[in-house]
Amino acid sequence: QLQLVESGGGLVQAGGSLRLSCAASGRTFSSYAMAWFRQTPGKERDIVAAIRRSGGTTYYADSVKGRFTISRHTAKNTVYLQMNSLKPEDTAVYICAAASSPSLRVGVRDYDHWGQGTQVTVSS
């Protein structure tokens, strides 16, 4: 079983930056496509960014393009989400996910391993 543990969330002012980390253990990290989702109370979980297991292809939601960057470090079994120019509407719980797939995946149902999430709050 693959375990995912997020860190790096917190409170930041609008315009600021945060870097989220997701440490994977228990299985071969390089076998998984990875993604970050976010969720606010009463709403569905939405994809923020995804990256192929090779790291060569990425996907970003329109709302974060140009501001967020997803990356992965195979030797550290870690995927990152660098978030710049944060806005109050970015406030959410950010959740790391893994999919047993060689290709890029962007749907919630494509992912079968989930972390517990880390809270990001952006104040105006």
Side-chain angles (χ1 to χ4, degrees):
Q1 186 74 1
L2 185 72
Q3 288 86 40
L4 303 173
V5 179
E6 302 95 335
S7 61
L11 174 64
V12 64
Q13 289 188 332
S17 298
L18 282 175
R19 188 176 81 155
L20 305 183
S21 299
C22 173
S25 62
R27 289 286 179 91
T28 305
F29 175 68
S30 58
S31 299
Y32 294 86
M34 302 296 295
W36 288 94
F37 289 78
R38 65 186 181 188
Q39 189 169 24
T40 54
K43 294 190 176 181
E44 294 184 351
R45 191 169 293 187
D46 293 326
I47 192 162
V48 175
I51 187 167
R52 285 186 65 178
R53 64 184 187 185
S54 65
T57 305
T58 56
Y59 166 87
Y60 296 95
D62 288 342
S63 58
V64 307
K65 281 182 181 176
R67 300 188 298 124
F68 290 11
T69 302
I70 188 171
S71 61
R72 62 192 297 161
H73 194 303
T74 300
K76 294 184 178 180
N77 289 349
T78 302
V79 62
Y80 303 99
L81 186 67
Q82 178 66 45
M83 306 186 295
N84 299 328
S85 302
L86 282 161
K87 305 175 182 179
E89 50 264 44
D90 293 319
T91 295
V93 174
Y94 284 72
I95 307 161
C96 177
S100 306
S101 170
S103 58
L104 195 64
R105 298 290 184 179
V106 299
V108 172
R109 295 182 179 181
D110 294 328
Y111 288 81
D112 44 20
H113 297 84
W114 296 87
Q116 294 298 309
T118 184
Q119 177 70 46
V120 172
T121 303
V122 184
S123 62
S124 58

